[in-house]
Amino acid sequence: MDIFVCSDCGNETTKWSGRCPSCGAWNTMRDAGRIIGKGKKRKSAASASVTEAEPFAAADGEMKPRARSGIGELDTVLGGGVVPGMAVLVGGEPGIGKSTLMLQMASRLASAKQPALYVSGEESAQQIRLRGLRLGIETEELFLLCSGNLQHVEQEIARLRPGLLVIDSIQAMQNPDVESAPGSMSQMRECTARLVRLAKDNDLPTFLVGHVTKEGMVAGPRIVEHMVDTVLYFEGEGHLKILRAQKNRFGSTNEIGVFEMRADGLHEIADPSGIFLHGLDHAPGVAVGGMMEGSRAFLVEVQSLVTPASYGTPQRVSIGYDPKRLSVALAVLEKFLAINLRQHDVFLNLAGGLRTRDPALDLAVAAAVVSGFRDKPLPRGTVLLGELGLGGEVRPVSQAARRVNEAAKLGFKRVLLSPRAKASADKLEIVAVEHLSGLFAAIDSGVQR
Ligand code: TYD
Ligand code: MG
């Protein structure tokens, strides 16, 4: 049976059509030929996997020792280092720094006993070497294979017995047994399955790079996400990059890693305190809040733009903050501060490319919108911490002490907080706000004192 693959989204059908039924693109369906050898392989794999069940208590529950990559931020996000046999997907938009991070990691983990194998199906050895020079990589134990052919990869694993494998990228890999284009669903499914199996059989930690567009992954490697142990996403704005685990069978998905891209590669920012602040806090429409990512607290500038709406339905746009929480905050503002936003567009942004689901930013969001609406800046040096309830009540936030400490450390003068939150500080003033209706009185009272 012939199959047809959309070159845009990777959708596969058995019938040709002028328009892809999945993504709607025109003239993108290509004949990918016949799939051969698939049935046969399935059978042998099934018969090989017959084993006996073992008692729960006898199962080996011990974790194999992790290898530290020497890049602390990466180790933290992985849950404490690289686990033998783990399969990791590293996703991110083109140009974000995936290849750079992988090369830096591979060069550090490579050792005489266990070399690292870096497979690139996208760049030439010369390009990668040039990048390596920029990064100051000089190790002899790092091997480059510039091929998209899965069989070449398997041969080199058997020959070199590496202690780490990087595939850059999974979209460039091809199993010649499957007659469809690299990047198509069937190739990615097939290549990922083989590589994950290899990883497990050889205790070989394997990192698969996957390209993501703004709308999601090219050719939908959601399947890849399901097949690997850990999914990391690399994202960010400008020089600052954030590494985040979206799924992790070997650790939590709480922690983030912060990096800065410089001329000589990615540098970790082990103390990202204040790095997301841009000194905007005296502009109208800006309020400073505190958010937690794993065990670290960050202060963040919430920016809002409130302008008269030019069309019937006003726009609500939120970047980095849950749009539903913004809607709730606006409704609560209308009800308890009698601010009518029905004729206004509201745009909200967390400065520095941050993104969070932490409800502790609610109070800062509300204050930013009011400040934007009135075109009046909030007093300098103020941090707002609080979750908003539907009744307009300000709820205490988790780990308030950490957030307050961060504010004190960065020289802020006052923190607004629910009276039920447990936090104190020597260097700054803590102002209690119980209800949204008292927010501006609290802000002003703090200033006068
Ligand atoms: P790259 O790792 O190639 O991104 P990806 O593999 O995710 O597509 O890096 C992309 C950008 O990083 C590129 O625009 C150049 C920049 N860069 C630096 O600024 N400094 C460096 O040392 C390197 C290697 C890259
Ligand atoms: Mg790359």
Side-chain angles (χ1 to χ4, degrees), residues 93-100 131 134-135 261-265:
E93 287 176 29
I96 194 86
K98 302 180 293 297
S99 302
T100 307
R131 180 185 288 127
R134 253 175 110 168
L135 304 174
M261 180 65 95
R262 298 195 200 142
D264 58 347

Side-chain angles (χ1 to χ4, degrees), residues 204-236:
L204 172 64
T206 298
F207 286 73
L208 310 173
V209 171
H211 297 297
V212 178
T213 56
K214 283 240 179 328
E215 295 80 47
M217 271 204 160
V218 178
R222 294 274 164 233
I223 349 162
V224 178
E225 291 184 358
H226 295 310
M227 293 162 87
V228 296
D229 301 308
T230 300
V231 178
L232 304 184
Y233 275 105
F234 212 20
E235 56 191 33

Side-chain angles (χ1 to χ4, degrees), residues 331-349:
V332 173
L333 277 178
E334 294 201 355
K335 172 130 192 187
F336 296 100
L337 287 184
I339 289 176
N340 186 350
L341 295 163
R342 264 159 269 167
Q343 310 283 319
H344 285 79
D345 292 336
V346 178
F347 303 94
L348 195 85
N349 178 40

Side-chain angles (χ1 to χ4, degrees), residues 160-242:
L160 293 167
R161 302 246 137 250
L164 176 76
L165 174 66
V166 176
I167 302 285
D168 190 357
S169 65
I170 189 65
Q171 276 117 338
M173 283 294 127
Q174 186 170 27
N175 178 358
D177 286 349
V178 178
E179 279 191 16
S180 73
S184 66
M185 294 280 224
S186 47
Q187 277 296 357
M188 266 192 291
R189 191 188 306 128
E190 183 68 21
C191 292
T192 308
R194 292 266 284 261
L195 288 163
V196 170
R197 171 114 304 201
L198 267 174
K200 303 293 166 207
D201 289 351
N202 298 292
D203 268 352
L204 172 64
T206 298
F207 286 73
L208 310 173
V209 171
H211 297 297
V212 178
T213 56
K214 283 240 179 328
E215 295 80 47
M217 271 204 160
V218 178
R222 294 274 164 233
I223 349 162
V224 178
E225 291 184 358
H226 295 310
M227 293 162 87
V228 296
D229 301 308
T230 300
V231 178
L232 304 184
Y233 275 105
F234 212 20
E235 56 191 33
E237 240 174 42
H239 294 300
L240 288 180
K241 318 279 177 189
I242 295 171

